[in-house]
Amino acid sequence: MIDHQLRRSLTRQCLLQELVDTPRSLSDVSEIGHRIPTCLVCVIIEQSLCLIFMFDIMHIYIIELQRVVMDVRETWATRLGFILAATGSAVGLGNIWRFPFLTGESGGAAFLVVYLALVLVVGLPVLLVEFVIGRRSKRNPIGAFDQLNHSQWKIAGAVGAIAGFIILSYYSVVGGWVIQYLLASFTGGYGTDAQAFFMSTASGPTTILFHAVFMALVAGIVALGVRNGLEKAATVMVPSVIILLVGMAIYGSTLSGAGEAYQYYLYPELSTLLTDAVSVLPAAAGQAFFTLSLGMGVMITYSSYLAEDRNLLRDSGLIVLIDTGIAILAGLVVFPFLFTQGVTPGEGGAGSIFISLAGAFNGLPAGTLIGGVFFFMLLLAALSSAFSIFEVVVSFTIDTFEITRVRASVLLGVIIFLIGIPTALDLTYLDTYDKFANNILLILGGLLLSLFIGWVYASDATHELRKGRAESWIGPVWINVVRYFVPPVLIITLGLAVIEYYDFIQSTFF
Ligand code: TRP
């Protein structure tokens, strides 16, 4: 047994070494590269609202997919593995379920504006912070700070691990909803009343059962080591999700409620934008971190397997682009259907995407078939994200308590399942967990990481970024943003979030 484990660990080490050592040409990414102009700021603002850009992203995926199919297998991990793993982690329920639901709850367009701004000026720099820490240390978030000789900053890893427990516990519950909708697609549809169907899905004993199924799948993926399969699934999953969403968005645009929906979603009231911005800041920042899988060390872990000659800026730009584009699309789907069904966005709440799509699929010819494909893709997206959270929690536990990986996976699977049970019984608990983990813990994690890179590790970090041949002006700009801009924004956000959370707890439970 020990011998077997040793051999596996040696093989893994050799593979990783090979991954790091293999010199690879940049020509393979140049194809992607020339599609991403230097000014990412302009790209995101200009193109994110435009469906054409989705086809561009799909094109990139198709080019890569063709290469992978035609090429030798070993190069998979070296060339695409990272982008796939990181996109697989980022694209998930956060984009398709959480983003439209929060936008609806927070008043629509003003939230969208603040969210987009935060993704750009905070999300992207913090993503680079995590990439730099990961590639520099070549360790998981806990080991990373030891490796960089700054052990006391491990507290950031611990904050991340706690966030991971909480997030995964209810993420798995929502994953269970997706499984239920998937099954419903094949067994008679989503009922006649989309809202009632959602309510019966979202809480109760069946919800707990499917929460257990989802959690077992996540733990099983780790135990069976089929992680690669999941990453490969991302090549199909991401374009499929995009195609389905584009199709539904186009269909949605023909509905009677579309005009009102776009007004609500895309046109902020300039007169109240500033006051609205302050009130939605905690939620928008929490969402920016959640959707990009930041503040928890996931991206540290993934970039720790990354080769030195990767252009970190380019990779992070691509990930942000895909992730943000999918979220915007999800909104373009959800709101027209909600308005047409006469459900106000606030009323839809956590059920927004499920209610709007079930209603839509019900009315379409072959709707349950399209629904089946959609929910299957959503399940893949949710699994690859959940997996990345679980990875961090498992490696934290292995490092801290020195137990085996399989044992840690089973144990943690059970613990996280138990923690999630209240959220499967009452949506109020789901809100309570969700706000605490995202608006407070992830922001705190991100703040600590930014302070570390900006104030303690700045010169090494800039050096690390430059290694990937990022344009030379990027390093100083980035480090100044991380040093002077990101921390104050996150401190203000955190303060507002704590006050808001206190009020929320008071008004909900007392
Ligand atoms: N980004 C994922 C989503 O949008 C969720 C997720 C995966 C996540 N890993 C994370 C969120 C780490 C926070 C931290 O669905």
Side-chain angles (χ1 to χ4, degrees):
M1 178 67 187
I2 290 177
D3 185 43
H4 179 64
Q5 276 188 357
L6 188 69
R7 215 169 329 136
R8 271 184 41 184
S9 128
L10 280 176
T11 318
R12 189 175 144 82
Q13 266 182 14
C14 290
L15 280 174
L16 289 181
Q17 198 55 44
E18 196 183 319
L19 201 155
V20 171
D21 288 343
T22 314
R24 88 196 54 83
S25 83
L26 280 179
S27 64
D28 55 343
V29 286
S30 66
E31 198 74 50
I32 300 179
H34 81 259
R35 288 171 180 283
I36 304 179
T38 333
C39 178
L40 282 167
V41 178
C42 311
V43 171
I44 293 189
I45 292 176
E46 273 173 30
Q47 295 206 350
S48 56
L49 293 176
C50 169
L51 293 182
I52 295 165
F53 121 97
M54 284 300 155
F55 290 108
D56 209 30
I57 295 296
M58 263 159 43
H59 192 189
I60 294 168
Y61 259 84
I62 290 164
I63 290 170
E64 289 297 330
L65 188 61
Q66 282 168 347
R67 281 224 189 83
V68 168
V69 171
M70 292 182 318
D71 230 319
V72 276
R73 231 182 137 185
E74 300 92 67
T75 57
W76 172 277
T78 58
R79 190 157 59 206
L80 247 190
F82 170 67
I83 292 275
L84 285 181
T87 331
S89 169
V91 174
L93 295 171
N95 312 57
I96 295 165
W97 161 70
R98 198 171 185 274
F99 170 73
F101 131 56
L102 275 189
T103 310
E105 262 187 5
S106 318
F111 181 86
L112 178 67
V113 171
V114 179
Y115 160 78
L116 286 179
L118 284 172
V119 162
L120 216 63
V121 296
V122 177
L124 188 60
V126 174
L127 185 57
L128 275 171
V129 162
E130 294 210 10
F131 282 173
V132 161
I133 296 178
R135 191 171 68 180
R136 186 77 175 175
S137 65
K138 304 203 173 18
R139 295 284 186 285
N140 68 44
I142 314 299
F145 295 99
D146 283 337
Q147 176 68 18
L148 303 177
N149 295 324
H150 289 281
S151 300
Q152 65 279 26
W153 287 87
K154 264 201 241 178
I155 180 80
V159 171
I162 297 170
F165 272 99
I166 302 175
I167 292 176
L168 191 51
S169 76
Y170 71 83
Y171 203 90
S172 164
V173 171
V174 182
W177 302 350
V178 177
I179 301 179
Q180 290 189 70
Y181 271 83
L182 176 60
L183 294 179
S185 310
F186 300 112
T187 56
Y190 322 103
T192 42
D193 182 343
Q195 237 172 327
F197 187 81
F198 171 73
M199 290 321 283
S200 69
T201 305
S203 51
T206 327
T207 315
I208 298 181
L209 175 71
F210 284 99
H211 162 43
V213 172
F214 187 89
M215 205 52 234
L217 281 174
V218 176
I221 289 166
V222 175
L224 296 175
V226 288
R227 171 187 170 163
N228 276 345
L230 203 63
E231 278 164 16
K232 280 173 206 162
T235 28
V236 181
M237 180 272 286
V238 172
S240 313
V241 164
I242 295 174
I243 291 173
L244 284 165
L245 287 177
V246 169
M248 296 306 288
I250 292 173
Y251 173 39
S253 71
T254 65
L255 300 176
S256 58
E260 209 185 338
Y262 297 148
Q263 185 67 32
Y264 174 79
Y265 179 45
L266 300 175
Y267 296 97
E269 296 249 346
L270 289 177
S271 55
T272 59
L273 189 58
L274 213 59
T275 40
D276 292 350
V278 175
S279 70
V280 300
L281 192 62
Q287 174 61 13
F289 272 63
F290 185 85
T291 192
L292 293 172
S293 304
L294 294 177
M296 230 198 82
V298 166
M299 294 303 185
I300 295 182
T301 312
Y302 282 177
S303 56
S304 66
Y305 302 117
L306 202 55
E308 306 286 323
D309 66 352
R310 274 313 279 232
N311 185 331
L312 293 179
L313 182 71
R314 194 178 280 174
D315 287 354
S316 50
L318 182 62
I319 294 162
V320 168
L321 215 60
I322 295 176
D323 190 73
T324 311
I326 291 181
I328 291 172
L329 259 182
L332 286 176
V333 173
V334 166
F335 294 115
F337 287 110
L338 278 190
F339 276 93
T340 306
Q341 287 168 39
V343 181
T344 63
E347 246 181 299
S352 292
I353 184 84
F354 295 96
I355 295 168
S356 61
L357 281 185
F361 293 143
N362 272 341
L364 273 177
T368 47
L369 184 67
I370 306 174
V373 177
F374 178 83
F375 288 117
F376 180 67
M377 293 304 158
L378 188 56
L379 181 61
L380 284 183
L383 279 174
S384 54
S385 301
F387 172 82
S388 71
I389 307 176
F390 199 56
E391 261 291 270
V392 172
V393 178
V394 167
S395 45
F396 177 80
T397 309
I398 294 175
D399 282 4
T400 315
F401 301 104
E402 297 182 352
I403 57 175
T404 66
R405 194 171 182 81
V406 172
R407 206 170 280 182
S409 309
V410 175
L411 189 70
L412 292 172
V414 172
I415 293 176
I416 292 171
F417 165 71
L418 293 175
I419 300 178
I421 288 179
T423 68
L425 291 172
D426 186 341
L427 285 177
T428 316
Y429 287 110
L430 197 146
D431 238 17
T432 312
Y433 282 36
D434 178 271
K435 282 195 167 69
F436 180 64
N438 296 305
N439 302 0
I440 298 180
L441 291 183
L442 290 186
I443 302 295
L444 181 61
L447 174 63
L448 291 172
L449 294 178
S450 311
L451 287 175
F452 173 68
I453 286 296
W455 292 94
V456 181
Y457 208 68
S459 64
D460 294 80
T462 323
H463 177 71
E464 185 63 38
L465 187 70
R466 208 172 297 138
K467 264 194 206 158
R469 303 171 202 187
E471 292 70 6
S472 58
W473 58 271
I474 292 287
V477 171
W478 168 69
I479 208 72
N480 280 313
V481 169
V482 169
R483 180 181 288 189
Y484 299 111
F485 180 74
V486 173
V489 171
L490 291 184
I491 289 171
I492 293 171
T493 308
L494 197 58
L496 290 172
V498 170
I499 296 169
E500 193 181 83
Y501 195 68
Y502 178 78
D503 289 345
F504 168 78
I505 295 288
Q506 287 285 326
S507 62
T508 313
F509 295 104
F510 299 104

